[in-house]
Amino acid sequence: MTRTPVFGGNWKMHLDLNEAIALAGELRNRLGSHRGAEILIFPSAPFLRPVVERLRDCAIAVGGQDLHFETKGAFTGATAPAMLTSVGCTHALIGHSERRHVFGDDDATVARKLTAALNEGLVPVLCVGETIEERRAGQTFVVIERQLASALAGHDTAALSALIVAYEPVWAIGTGETASPAQAQEVHAFIREWLSDNLGDPFAQATRIQYGGSVKADNVDGLMTEKDIDGALIGGASLKVDDFTRIVRFERP
Ligand code: PEP
């Protein structure tokens, strides 16, 4: 089964409007007609619309960094799923570790957000990953299994057909410490096996699993040699056009 690699740039809470539009323009020039991989960009909410416009009719899709599970109401500061689609988003990060660990999104909240994204026709990029304490306690697979089971419960393969999973060990995000290709592959293989056991092997073989956690231009090639690593979710390096371009144009020996 060949899976098209998928790379996401998570701009987090960085840039101002001019910088966001300029970066989108540079990405358009460098990667706008790239064919070797699918490319997703997750700007901050205020910049979604101008970035969508800058990337119109090119091969780079835009997504929200988060969404609320309700469709509307008195939820100050939150973004409804339909708000994302109304400005041209096609994807959404769900359960990013900063949402889980900084903002306190628990498994139940992440599950509701995933359902809300699916209901709105957004492609969810479901982020899962263990903390360093959980890894040291030998709990990595237990945590990943709990996060997958909770988020995907009640959805069938038709509803989840476009799902992307991102394995992002919390200890590797923004720390400069990357999981080794072998460490990442071990968890990716576990995720694929879990998907196979719970949603069937054809679904598991077709689903892309990204790695995230300090992916850089100089470590992407090693990660992409692993058979269950289908791309990356990139924070810091996605703000530098040369680095992000090199990552998307990874080389396999
Ligand atoms: C992320 O934000 O999902 C991420 C992986 O960040 P970084 O690449 O900076 O570790």
Side-chain angles (χ1 to χ4, degrees), residues 3-31:
R3 294 176 291 268
T4 304
V6 56
F7 292 90
N10 175 12
W11 293 357
K12 310 197 189 200
M13 199 173 74
H14 292 296
L15 310 176
D16 63 19
L17 176 63
N18 290 336
E19 290 166 340
I21 294 173
L23 180 53
E26 286 184 74
L27 290 172
R28 183 188 183 97
N29 294 340
R30 304 278 288 273
L31 293 167

Side-chain angles (χ1 to χ4, degrees), residues 10 12 96 98 168 172-175 212-216 233-237:
N10 175 12
K12 310 197 189 200
H96 187 276
E98 285 146 23
E168 298 210 301
I173 299 180
T175 58
S214 300
V215 174
K216 309 273 182 241
L233 184 55
I234 301 120

